């Protein structure tokens, strides 16, 4: 075999080298896509948790504006119950439940409010967070406050 023939065979890449490089790049891109998907799911979970905290403070602020009625149980709402009653408290609870449904989707989340005579209130929002990595189908945020 002459030197000229040997150099001719060494030129360029073989098809096998190209296929192996494509395989390595494909596996790397799949890994990046998996990390991106997990990141998006966890960011959604974090946003929902933040929204739940904002919503608990929202109803606490509404109750502070109507303090005597709240202390008398006017804002008490059992977990996942439909708000009832009229007046300012009934309207506030109806809007609050509508805000929860708008933030999480109808039927996915619900709230509860419980106040005692000493103006201590507990507000709970529960939602399905099973989409997140290691998520819980019954995720909840509980905020206790004095009105």
């Amino acid at each position: 075999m002459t030197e000229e023939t040997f150099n001719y065979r060494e030129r360029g890449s073989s098809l096998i080298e190209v296929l192996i490089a494509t395989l390595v790049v494909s596996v790397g891109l799949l890994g990046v896509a998996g990390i991106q998907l997990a990141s998006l799911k966890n960011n959604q979970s974090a946003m929902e948790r933040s929204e739940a905290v904002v919503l608990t403070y929202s109803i606490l602020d509404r109750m502070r504006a109507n303090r005597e009625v709240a202390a008398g149980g006017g804002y008490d709402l059992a977990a996942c119950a439909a708000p009832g009653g009229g007046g300012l408290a009934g309207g506030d609870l109806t809007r609050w439940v509508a805000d929860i449904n708008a933030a999480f989707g109808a039927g996915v989340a619900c709230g509860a409010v419980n106040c005692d005579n000493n103006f201590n209130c507990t507000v709970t929002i529960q939602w399905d967070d099973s989409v997140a990595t290691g998520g819980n189908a019954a995720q909840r945020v509980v905020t206790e406050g004095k009105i």
Side-chain angles (χ1 to χ4, degrees):
M1 204 191 264
T2 65
E3 191 175 320
E4 238 177 60
T5 306
F6 184 71
N7 286 337
Y8 176 74
R9 290 183 177 180
E10 296 266 334
R11 283 190 236 158
S13 302
S14 72
L15 185 57
I16 291 176
E17 289 171 335
V18 171
L19 288 174
I20 290 172
T22 303
L23 178 67
V24 169
V25 169
S26 298
V27 168
L29 289 175
L30 283 174
V32 169
I35 290 171
Q36 181 70 20
L37 180 63
S39 174
L40 288 172
K41 286 180 179 181
N42 291 330
N43 282 339
Q44 175 71 24
S45 177
M47 186 198 67
E48 288 174 349
R49 186 179 316 276
S50 296
E51 186 69 28
V53 170
V54 167
L55 288 167
T56 59
Y57 283 112
S58 169
I59 194 64
L60 282 170
D61 288 341
R62 292 174 187 183
M63 290 166 35
R64 286 184 182 107
N66 198 4
R67 191 170 189 236
E68 296 303 321
V69 173
Y75 281 86
D76 287 359
L77 180 67
C80 301
L88 182 59
D92 284 345
L93 286 171
T94 300
R95 282 187 293 279
W96 183 61
V97 169
D99 290 344
I100 291 172
N101 289 332
F104 295 97
V108 176
C110 58
V113 179
N114 187 18
C115 295
D116 62 19
N117 293 335
N118 295 325
F119 300 103
N120 296 314
C121 296
T122 303
V123 179
T124 305
I125 295 180
Q126 179 177 325
W127 71 98
D128 182 359
D129 191 33
S130 58
V131 174
T133 304
N136 186 351
Q139 186 69 258
R140 71 176 58 189
V141 168
V142 178
T143 303
E144 295 178 0
K146 193 157 189 99
I147 56 171

